[in-house]
Amino acid sequence: MAFFTGQLRQVSLSVADVDAAVAFYRDVLELPLIAQFGPLAFFDLGGVRLSVSRPGGAPAGNSVLYFVVDDPH
């Protein structure tokens, strides 16, 4: 079975403390903050978006990768 090799578009990271994560990524790593909406923040990683949010049932530290694909089938 062949796997697609689409472009990585977004990485979503579950964190226990969104404000602390925003302070780290924005102030320490100096990543551009795109937007923050309460418990959800987005950063620009040179064209790949980093999304940090509180976990919705999954443990903190869990990641999801989003790829661009032409045909998901």
Side-chain angles (χ1 to χ4, degrees), residues 41-71:
F42 296 95
F43 294 89
D44 179 27
L45 301 174
V48 174
R49 190 171 39 218
L50 171 64
S51 165
V52 294
S53 62
R54 282 198 299 257
N62 187 25
S63 297
V64 177
L65 305 178
Y66 295 84
F67 291 92
V68 176
V69 295
D70 293 331
D71 182 4

